[in-house]
Amino acid sequence: MSNQATTNTTVQKASGMDRFLNVIERVGNKIPDPAILFFWALIAVWVFSAVLSQVSFDLVNPRTGDALVINNLLTGEALAHFLANMVTTFTSFAPLGIVLVAMLGVGVADSSGFITTALKKMLNVTPAKFLTPMLILVAIVSHTAADAGYVLVIPLGGIIFHAAGRHPLAGIAAAFAGVSGGFSANFIPSGIDPLLAGFTQTAAQVLDPDYVVNPLANIYFTGLSSIIIVAIGWFVTERIIEPRLAKTPVDADAEEAPDLGSISDKEAKAFKYAGWAMMAGIALLIAAIMPENSALRSPDGEITAFSAPLMKSIVPLIFILFIIPGIVYGRVVGKFSNSNDVIKAMSDTMGTMGAYMVMSFFCAQFLVAFGQSNIGTMLALYGAEGLKALNLPGQATVVGMILLTAMVNLLVGSASAKWALIGPILVPMLMAVGISPELSQAAYRVGDSVSNIISPLMVFFPLVVVYCQRYVKSTGIGTLASLMMPFSIAMLIGWSIFLLAYWALGIPLGIQAPYTYTM
C-alpha cells in the first residue's frame, strides 16, 4: 500500500512539473521569432530611455565614478548615430563572426565524413549509460576555449544523441547545460579567472587598499563544481528531459542520424591520415606556445589570459584544426576530388546559417542600444542596493547574492560587465560582515552561470534554437526555455547548497593571495 502511495505521489509530482514546463513552452512559443523579439525589444529600449532620461537617480556608476544617467536614444542625434552605425554594429557583433568562421571549418569536416567516423569511434569506446555525463563533461571543459562550446559541442550533442537512438534535443539541452549553465564549473583555468579576480581585487580595495586576489582564487571550488554540474545535468537529462521529449517526434524531413555502424577499411585509413594531420597541427601549436617569449602568449607570458593572442585565436584555430583533417579525410575517402568540392561544403554550411544571421542583425542593434541607454546598469545597481539594505545573515546574504546575479544575468549578459557593476557594492559590504571577496566572487559565479540557459537575451540562445530546429522545426524560444528550466532550477538549488556546505566546512576556495583581510 505504501509503495502504491509513493508511486502515486511521484506521478503527481512529475505531472506537476510537466504542467509547469508546458505552461513555459506555450507562453514562450507565443513570443515572436527571435529576430522580431529583438526588434520590439529595441523599440522598448528607445521608449524607456526617453522616459527614464527625465528622471534623476541617486546612484553612482562604480565603473566610471559618475552619477547614473539614462541616455535618451530618441533624440535626433542619437537616431542619426544609430543609422550611421547600423552596418558596423551588425558586422562587429562578436558571436556572428565566431559562429561563421568556426562553422566553415567544422562544415568541411562534417561534409567529408570525418566527424561521423570520429563519433563512431567515440561511441564504440563510451558505454551507452555514460554518454550523457561524458557529453556534459566535454561541454564544461570547452570553456577553456572561450566560446568554442557554443559552435562545436552543442550541435555535436544533438548529433551524438540522434546517432545513439536518443532524442537529439536532449543532447543539445545537455550540452547547452554544460557549456552555459555550468559556465563557472571547470577544473582547467581559463581567461575568465584572472578577469573576474581583477574586478574583485579592485572592489576589495575600496575597503582595504592592500587586499590582493589571486587569479586562481576559486579554482578548487570551480573544479569540484564540475562534478556537481555533471551529476545534476545527468540526472535532469535522463529523468526529466528525455521522458518529456518522448512526446516530441523528430520531424520526418529532419537531418538524418549519421550511420554509426561499422567503419570500412577506407574510412579507417582516411581517419588515420586525418588524425595524423590534426595531431601534427596540435603539435605545431604546442611547440609555438612553449617558449616563454612566444608571440602567442600575453605580454607577461601567460597563456590563458584574455590578452594572450592564443586566446583571441581560438576560433581561427578551430577553423584550421577542423578544415585540415576534413580535407585530408575527404580526399582519401573520395568525398573531395578537387578544391571546388571543399568550397561547396563551406557554401552548404553557410546556407544553413541564414536564420541565425537575420537574428544576429536585430540582436546586435538591440544589445548596443541597451548598453548605450544604461537601463541595465540602473537595474543592476538598484538590485545591489536592495540586497545591501536587507542586511541579511551571512548564509542568506550569499544566497541573495546568487539570486540577484541570476536575475541581473537575464538583462546583462557579459560576466565581467555585471561584476564591474555590482562587485564594488557587494564585495566591500560582505567584507564588513566577515565574508571574503573570494567567497563573494564564488557566489557571483554561481549566479552568473545558472540563468544563462533560460535567457533569450543571451547572445547564443537563438543559435541553440536554430540547432534544435534542425530536428524539430516547430522549436521556438518557449520550447528551449522549457527544456532548460529544469537544468536552471536544479543547478541553482544544488550549486548554492554546495557552495554553502563548502563554506561551512572551511575548505579553501582556491589559491589564496599571501595577504587576506581580517576583521
Side-chain angles (χ1 to χ4, degrees):
M1 185 70 176
S2 60
N3 290 339
Q4 182 65 40
T6 301
T7 301
N8 290 339
T9 301
T10 302
V11 170
Q12 289 173 0
K13 288 181 178 178
S15 62
M17 171 64 77
D18 208 40
R19 288 195 297 270
F20 171 65
L21 297 178
N22 285 337
V23 169
I24 293 176
E25 181 173 1
R26 286 196 302 271
V27 173
N29 283 341
K30 289 181 180 179
I31 297 174
D33 182 88
I36 301 299
L37 173 68
F38 285 120
F39 170 75
W40 287 115
L42 172 64
I43 300 299
V45 166
W46 281 349
V47 173
F48 280 113
S49 72
V51 173
L52 294 174
S53 65
Q54 308 302 315
V55 179
S56 297
F57 298 94
D58 57 351
L59 294 173
V60 174
N61 188 330
R63 301 177 70 181
T64 63
D66 299 327
L68 176 67
V69 175
I70 301 300
N71 297 316
N72 186 354
L73 301 184
L74 283 182
T75 64
E77 182 180 354
L79 290 174
H81 182 269
F82 170 78
L83 291 174
N85 291 277
M86 182 183 288
V87 174
T88 54
T89 296
F90 174 49
T91 57
S92 61
F93 185 53
L96 179 66
I98 290 172
V99 171
L100 297 186
V101 173
M103 289 303 293
L104 285 173
V106 173
V108 171
D110 186 30
S111 179
S112 70
F114 173 69
I115 290 179
T116 298
T117 301
L119 292 176
K120 290 181 183 179
K121 288 184 170 290
M122 182 190 69
L123 292 179
N124 286 337
V125 299
T126 303
K129 63 181 180 180
F130 293 130
L131 183 60
T132 302
M134 179 277 297
L135 174 61
I136 297 173
L137 181 61
V138 170
I140 289 173
V141 174
S142 72
H143 302 152
T144 309
D147 296 325
Y150 290 101
V151 296
L152 187 59
V153 179
I154 295 176
L156 282 180
I159 295 172
I160 291 171
F161 269 50
H162 200 20
R166 299 168 65 177
H167 203 293
L169 264 59
I172 291 173
F176 190 23
V179 171
S180 197
F183 179 71
S184 287
N186 200 346
F187 47 82
I188 300 175
S190 64
I192 195 67
D193 293 301
L195 182 64
L196 292 182
F199 286 115
T200 304
Q201 178 172 299
T202 300
Q205 289 176 351
V206 170
L207 191 62
D208 188 337
D210 297 322
Y211 200 95
V212 177
V213 177
N214 191 295
L216 300 181
N218 291 154
I219 191 63
Y220 302 153
F221 172 71
T222 57
L224 290 174
S225 293
S226 301
I227 301 172
I228 301 299
I229 295 304
V230 168
I232 292 173
W234 189 1
F235 176 84
V236 172
T237 300
E238 298 191 357
R239 296 298 182 90
I240 300 177
I241 302 304
E242 288 193 284
R244 187 163 185 271
L245 284 172
K247 308 171 187 175
T248 306
V250 176
D251 291 342
D253 58 344
E255 293 186 4
E256 294 184 0
D259 179 12
L260 299 186
S262 59
I263 300 174
S264 68
D265 292 340
K266 181 181 284 188
E267 288 175 334
K269 179 182 177 181
F271 187 79
K272 180 174 66 175
Y273 289 156
W276 286 348
M278 178 176 275
M279 290 300 104
I282 294 174
L284 288 174
L285 177 62
I286 293 174
I289 64 175
M290 285 301 290
E292 293 186 3
N293 61 347
S294 169
L296 292 174
R297 293 175 178 258
S298 67
D300 56 1
E302 293 185 15
I303 295 175
T304 58
F306 277 133
S307 60
L310 176 67
M311 298 306 295
K312 296 179 179 180
S313 305
I314 292 295
V315 173
L317 288 173
I318 290 175
F319 168 76
I320 295 170
L321 291 176
F322 273 87
I323 196 171
I324 292 176
I327 292 173
V328 171
Y329 184 96
R331 293 285 293 186
V332 175
V333 85
K335 178 71 175 180
F336 299 149
S337 58
N338 53 51
S339 59
N340 290 338
D341 293 331
V342 177
I343 299 302
K344 184 178 184 302
M346 291 184 179
S347 299
D348 291 343
T349 300
M350 289 299 99
T352 65
M353 302 305 296
Y356 178 70
M357 286 188 280
V358 172
M359 180 282 304
S360 294
F361 172 78
F362 292 100
C363 181
Q365 311 304 325
F366 162 73
L367 290 178
V368 167
F370 192 65
Q372 291 174 345
S373 70
N374 279 339
I375 293 176
T377 300
M378 176 197 70
L379 295 174
L381 293 179
Y382 269 120
E385 290 287 348
L387 180 60
K388 181 179 179 180
L390 291 175
N391 194 26
L392 300 170
Q395 291 81 356
T397 299
V398 169
V399 172
M401 184 174 180
I402 292 172
L403 293 173
L404 170 67
T405 305
M407 289 186 289
V408 172
N409 191 40
L410 298 175
L411 300 170
V412 183
S414 169
S416 58
K418 284 192 298 292
W419 196 222
L421 287 172
I422 64 179
I425 298 172
L426 296 180
V427 170
M429 177 191 81
L430 297 180
M431 285 177 71
V433 296
I435 297 176
S436 70
E438 290 82 4
L439 178 58
S440 297
Q441 179 178 284
Y444 169 78
R445 297 182 75 163
V446 172
D448 179 54
S449 298
V450 297
S451 61
N452 279 334
I453 50 180
I454 58 171
S455 173
L457 301 187
M458 198 270 284
V459 292
F460 287 105
F461 192 92
L463 177 63
V464 182
V465 174
V466 172
Y467 291 149
C468 293
Q469 289 172 344
R470 295 177 179 177
Y471 305 101
V472 181
K473 291 182 174 57
S474 61
T475 299
I477 289 177
T479 305
L480 183 57
S482 68
L483 284 179
M484 303 314 300
M485 184 64 74
F487 289 103
S488 184
I489 294 173
M491 288 179 179
L492 175 63
I493 296 172
W495 211 350
S496 298
I497 293 173
F498 178 65
L499 176 58
L500 293 176
Y502 201 102
W503 179 28
L505 293 172
I507 305 172
L509 291 164
I511 301 174
Q512 301 291 327
Y515 171 81
T516 55
Y517 178 75
T518 55
M519 290 294 294

